Amino acid sequence: MLGRMMQMPLLISSLLRHAVRWHGDSEIVSRLVEGGIARTTWTQLGERACQLAHVLNDWGVQRGDRVGTLAWNNQRHVETYFAVSASGAVCHTINPRLFPDQIVWIINDAEDTHVFFDLSFVKLVEQIAPRCPSVKSWIAYTDSEHMPVMTPQALCYETLIAGRQTEFDWPQLDENEASSLCYTSGTTGNPKGVLYSHRSTVLHAYCVCLPDTMSVSAADCVLPVVPMFHVNAWGTPYAIALTGAKLVLPGPALDGPSLASLMADEGVTLTAGVPTVWLGLLKHLKEAGQKLPALQRVVIGGAAAPPAMIRQFAEMGITVRHAWGMTEMSPLGTVCTLKTKHTDMSSEAREAVLLKQGRPIFGVDLKIVDAEGRELPRDGKAFGDLMVRGPWILESYFKGAGGDVLQDGWFATGDVSTIDPDGYMGITDRSKDVIKSGGEWISSIDLENHAMAHPAVAEAAAIGVRHPKWDERPILVVVKKPGADLTRDMLLEFMRDKIAKWWMPDDVVFVEDLPHTATGKLSKKDLRERLRDYALPGV
Ligand code: AMP
């Protein structure tokens, strides 16, 4: 025997144990849906997670069972993250912004056994509960004083955990067991589940903290604006448990003034979110003449960071970290930080680098390939399909949806990019058929199907067009049936009760024909090219 290292699995319970044992007094501040701000520490949060684990135990929640959440970023949601995963069940974060039918589909596909929800979603729960047979109980994140009367009657979170033991013997799990589940709508067809493991989550958390990633330290005060239902808020709750940074959770208030006041009051040094929220924050700061002297770094991801945004933050002395990733990647893949060689460059040259999506972080390997799968040079000019692999990148979707998704061990991201000789990746296009508006996916195929259901529509194509606030908005390009009488408003009215309001196309453009590929498929690439000079009404 030559000797060896201890065989200790990387578990979410170990993150929680570490947080409680080594930075038990680090603060967690959260804005509540009921109003007001709650303050707690890892010591208290750890105890409450144990109390919740006892509840799950009493309910008979088994290893691998899915437990859902419909909630904003708040303390109770963090407790649920840790209690569910650490006890061996799977924490399934559900995106409440989806259309109710999609939420029902997702809950049924996940076979969630219990669902925790914020009071913002009482009506939603009442609407969907009768169609979710696997869910044995719905639990409102509130206390008895604020409990709503509803049908079905929900359970009260605080009442459930009150008086329970504040210690729990977390099970010794295999680090490759599933810990959490998040569905992506960023693919064609039905949403697909991405199952993270304890190992992938802990490795990803380490990486989030690295200096060239988000650089999270115990001296930070971190406010994740990115929702906890979007890929675990980019791993921030785990990174905080790992480092002992102060955590500030904004609850439902994601508008500029609310974020700015919370950041100022709590001394936030690091924040993360999609470009749309930063537009709101920057607009407010400018109009109110407010400054955020403590804020050092803003991580921008989920969609491309516009140059003006990077510049505006830079003028305030705030560094932008442009990041790229996917639900399928836990999510971080690349982050843009400068190298020593950039120190002497002009500010314009540095800005050009910062606009790129960045260099791969350890754990993620990248390549770009042509249509035949041949690797393209990393010369900053050739662009091709971006492929990834690594220990926190999906190998297959939940329940095998979509079949075998790897190509020679690589996952095709559906993004098209360049990689330059320094390793900086720059997204140039997207090959997947989805539209991303304000950080949320809209299925172009769903829009097309709803439009085609109209008797006057011969063919319809949905594409995303640039929008200054939402990054992209959908429009429909429609060929009418010969002699048919159809207007923009008639078609939109027809679609109104079938899709979420924010999915509604911003415009309908009528055309004589649509471009097709040699195999007869709609060519979105050519259509986008045809509509290159199109501008949304009023933009
Ligand atoms: P999601 O799974 O919702 O996180 O979406 C992932 C997708 O969002 C990527 O495949 C890209 O298409 C897009 N995306 C994420 N980050 C960026 C970025 N920094 N720049 C451009 N597109 C991005």
Coordinates of all heavy atoms in Angstrom, one line a residue, residues 152-190:
P152 N -56.1 24.2 -3.8 CA -56.1 23.4 -2.6 C -55.4 24.2 -1.5 O -54.5 25.1 -1.7 CB -55.3 22.2 -3.0 CG -54.3 22.7 -4.0 CD -55.1 23.7 -4.8
Q153 N -55.7 23.9 -0.2 CA -55.1 24.6 0.9 C -53.6 24.2 1.0 O -53.3 23.0 1.1 CB -55.8 24.4 2.2 CG -55.3 25.2 3.4 CD -55.3 26.7 3.0 OE1 -56.2 27.3 2.6 NE2 -54.1 27.3 3.3
A154 N -52.7 25.2 1.0 CA -51.3 24.9 1.1 C -50.9 24.7 2.6 O -51.7 25.1 3.5 CB -50.5 26.0 0.5
L155 N -49.7 24.2 2.8 CA -49.2 24.1 4.1 C -48.3 25.3 4.4 O -47.8 25.9 3.4 CB -48.3 22.8 4.2 CG -49.0 21.5 3.9 CD1 -48.0 20.4 4.0 CD2 -50.1 21.2 5.0
C156 N -48.1 25.6 5.6 CA -47.3 26.8 6.0 C -45.9 26.4 6.3 O -45.7 25.6 7.2 CB -48.0 27.5 7.2 SG -47.0 28.8 7.9
Y157 N -44.9 27.0 5.6 CA -43.5 26.6 5.8 C -43.0 26.8 7.2 O -42.5 25.9 7.8 CB -42.7 27.5 4.8 CG -41.2 27.2 4.8 CD1 -40.7 26.1 4.1 CD2 -40.3 28.0 5.6 CE1 -39.3 25.9 4.1 CE2 -39.0 27.7 5.6 CZ -38.5 26.7 4.9 OH -37.1 26.4 4.9
E158 N -43.3 28.0 7.8 CA -42.8 28.2 9.1 C -43.4 27.3 10.2 O -42.7 26.8 11.1 CB -43.0 29.7 9.5 CG -42.1 30.7 8.7 CD -40.6 30.5 8.9 OE1 -40.2 30.0 9.9 OE2 -39.8 30.8 7.9
T159 N -44.7 27.0 10.0 CA -45.4 26.1 10.9 C -44.8 24.7 10.8 O -44.6 24.0 11.8 CB -46.9 26.1 10.6 OG1 -47.4 27.4 10.6 CG2 -47.7 25.3 11.7
L160 N -44.5 24.3 9.6 CA -44.0 23.0 9.4 C -42.6 22.8 10.1 O -42.4 21.7 10.7 CB -43.7 22.7 7.9 CG -44.9 22.2 7.1 CD1 -44.4 22.1 5.6 CD2 -45.3 20.8 7.6
I161 N -41.7 23.8 10.0 CA -40.4 23.5 10.5 C -40.3 23.9 12.0 O -39.4 23.4 12.6 CB -39.3 24.3 9.7 CG1 -39.4 25.8 9.8 CG2 -39.3 23.8 8.2 CD1 -38.2 26.5 9.2
A162 N -41.2 24.6 12.5 CA -41.2 25.1 13.9 C -41.0 23.9 14.8 O -41.7 22.9 14.7 CB -42.4 25.9 14.2
G163 N -40.2 24.1 15.8 CA -40.0 23.1 16.9 C -39.3 21.8 16.5 O -39.2 20.9 17.3
R164 N -38.9 21.7 15.3 CA -38.2 20.5 14.9 C -36.8 20.5 15.4 O -36.2 21.6 15.7 CB -38.1 20.4 13.3 CG -39.5 20.4 12.7 CD -39.9 19.0 12.3 NE -41.3 19.1 11.8 CZ -41.9 18.0 11.4 NH1 -41.4 16.8 11.5 NH2 -43.2 18.1 10.9
Q165 N -36.1 19.3 15.4 CA -34.7 19.3 15.8 C -33.8 20.1 14.9 O -34.0 20.1 13.7 CB -34.2 17.8 15.8 CG -34.6 17.1 17.0 CD -34.0 15.7 16.9 OE1 -32.9 15.5 16.3 NE2 -34.7 14.7 17.4
T166 N -32.9 20.8 15.4 CA -32.0 21.6 14.6 C -30.7 21.0 14.2 O -29.8 21.6 13.8 CB -31.7 23.0 15.4 OG1 -31.2 22.6 16.7 CG2 -32.9 23.8 15.6
E167 N -30.7 19.6 14.4 CA -29.5 18.9 13.9 C -30.1 17.8 13.0 O -31.2 17.3 13.2 CB -28.7 18.3 15.0 CG -27.9 19.3 15.7 CD -27.1 18.7 16.9 OE1 -27.2 17.5 17.1 OE2 -26.5 19.6 17.6
F168 N -29.3 17.4 12.0 CA -29.8 16.3 11.1 C -28.5 15.6 10.7 O -27.5 16.2 10.4 CB -30.5 16.9 9.9 CG -31.2 15.9 9.0 CD1 -32.4 15.4 9.4 CD2 -30.5 15.3 7.9 CE1 -33.1 14.5 8.6 CE2 -31.2 14.3 7.2 CZ -32.4 13.9 7.5
D169 N -28.6 14.3 10.7 CA -27.5 13.4 10.3 C -27.6 13.3 8.7 O -28.2 12.4 8.2 CB -27.7 12.1 11.0 CG -26.4 11.3 10.9 OD1 -25.4 11.8 10.5 OD2 -26.5 10.1 11.3
W170 N -26.9 14.2 8.0 CA -26.9 14.1 6.6 C -26.4 12.8 6.0 O -25.3 12.4 6.5 CB -26.1 15.3 6.0 CG -26.6 16.7 6.4 CD1 -25.9 17.5 7.2 CD2 -27.9 17.3 6.1 NE1 -26.7 18.7 7.4 CE2 -27.9 18.5 6.8 CE3 -29.0 16.9 5.4 CZ2 -29.0 19.4 6.7 CZ3 -30.1 17.8 5.3 CH2 -30.1 19.0 6.0
P171 N -27.1 12.2 5.1 CA -26.6 10.9 4.7 C -25.3 11.0 3.8 O -25.1 12.0 3.2 CB -27.7 10.4 3.8 CG -28.5 11.6 3.4 CD -28.3 12.6 4.5
Q172 N -24.5 9.9 3.9 CA -23.3 9.8 3.1 C -23.7 9.4 1.7 O -24.0 8.2 1.5 CB -22.3 8.8 3.7 CG -20.9 8.9 3.1 CD -20.2 10.1 3.6 OE1 -20.7 11.0 4.2 NE2 -18.9 10.2 3.2
L173 N -23.8 10.3 0.7 CA -24.3 9.9 -0.6 C -23.1 9.7 -1.5 O -22.0 10.0 -1.2 CB -25.1 11.1 -1.2 CG -26.2 11.6 -0.3 CD1 -26.7 13.0 -0.8 CD2 -27.4 10.6 -0.2
D174 N -23.4 9.1 -2.7 CA -22.4 9.0 -3.7 C -22.4 10.4 -4.4 O -23.4 11.0 -4.7 CB -22.9 7.9 -4.7 CG -21.9 7.8 -5.9 OD1 -21.2 8.8 -6.3 OD2 -21.8 6.7 -6.4
E175 N -21.2 10.9 -4.6 CA -21.1 12.3 -5.1 C -21.7 12.4 -6.5 O -22.0 13.5 -7.0 CB -19.6 12.8 -5.1 CG -18.7 12.0 -6.0 CD -17.3 12.6 -6.0 OE1 -16.9 13.3 -5.1 OE2 -16.5 12.2 -6.9
N176 N -21.9 11.3 -7.2 CA -22.5 11.4 -8.6 C -24.0 11.3 -8.5 O -24.6 11.3 -9.6 CB -21.9 10.3 -9.5 CG -20.5 10.6 -9.8 OD1 -20.2 11.7 -10.4 ND2 -19.5 9.7 -9.5
E177 N -24.6 11.2 -7.3 CA -26.0 11.2 -7.3 C -26.6 12.5 -7.6 O -25.9 13.6 -7.4 CB -26.5 10.8 -5.8 CG -26.6 9.3 -5.6 CD -27.0 9.0 -4.2 OE1 -28.1 9.4 -3.7 OE2 -26.2 8.3 -3.5
A178 N -27.8 12.6 -8.1 CA -28.4 13.8 -8.5 C -28.7 14.7 -7.3 O -29.1 14.2 -6.3 CB -29.7 13.5 -9.2
S179 N -28.5 16.0 -7.5 CA -28.8 16.9 -6.4 C -29.8 18.0 -6.8 O -30.6 18.4 -5.9 CB -27.5 17.7 -6.0 OG -27.0 18.4 -7.1
S180 N -29.8 18.4 -8.0 CA -30.8 19.3 -8.4 C -31.2 19.2 -9.9 O -30.5 18.6 -10.6 CB -30.4 20.8 -8.0 OG -29.1 21.0 -8.5
L181 N -32.3 19.8 -10.2 CA -32.9 19.7 -11.6 C -33.4 21.0 -12.0 O -34.0 21.7 -11.3 CB -34.0 18.7 -11.5 CG -34.9 18.4 -12.7 CD1 -34.1 17.7 -13.8 CD2 -36.1 17.5 -12.4
C182 N -33.0 21.3 -13.3 CA -33.5 22.6 -13.8 C -33.9 22.3 -15.3 O -33.1 21.7 -16.0 CB -32.4 23.6 -13.7 SG -32.8 25.2 -14.3
Y183 N -35.1 22.8 -15.7 CA -35.5 22.6 -17.1 C -35.0 23.7 -18.0 O -35.0 24.9 -17.5 CB -37.0 22.4 -17.2 CG -37.4 21.0 -16.8 CD1 -37.4 20.5 -15.5 CD2 -37.9 20.1 -17.8 CE1 -37.7 19.2 -15.2 CE2 -38.3 18.8 -17.5 CZ -38.2 18.4 -16.2 OH -38.6 17.1 -15.9
T184 N -34.6 23.4 -19.2 CA -34.3 24.5 -20.1 C -35.4 24.5 -21.2 O -35.8 23.4 -21.7 CB -32.9 24.3 -20.7 OG1 -32.8 25.3 -21.7 CG2 -32.7 22.9 -21.4
S185 N -35.8 25.6 -21.6 CA -36.7 25.8 -22.8 C -35.8 26.2 -24.0 O -36.4 26.5 -25.0 CB -37.8 26.8 -22.5 OG -38.3 26.6 -21.3
G186 N -34.5 26.2 -23.8 CA -33.6 26.7 -24.9 C -33.3 25.6 -25.9 O -32.2 25.6 -26.4
T187 N -34.2 24.7 -26.1 CA -34.0 23.7 -27.1 C -35.3 23.5 -27.9 O -36.3 24.1 -27.5 CB -33.7 22.3 -26.5 OG1 -34.8 22.0 -25.6 CG2 -32.4 22.3 -25.7
T188 N -35.3 22.8 -29.0 CA -36.5 22.6 -29.7 C -37.4 21.5 -29.0 O -36.8 20.7 -28.2 CB -36.3 22.1 -31.1 OG1 -35.3 21.1 -31.1 CG2 -35.8 23.3 -32.0
G189 N -38.7 21.6 -29.2 CA -39.5 20.6 -28.5 C -39.9 21.0 -27.1 O -39.7 22.1 -26.7
N190 N -40.3 20.0 -26.3 CA -40.7 20.3 -24.9 C -39.4 20.7 -24.1 O -38.3 20.4 -24.5 CB -41.3 19.1 -24.3 CG -42.7 18.9 -24.8 OD1 -43.5 19.8 -24.9 ND2 -43.1 17.6 -25.0

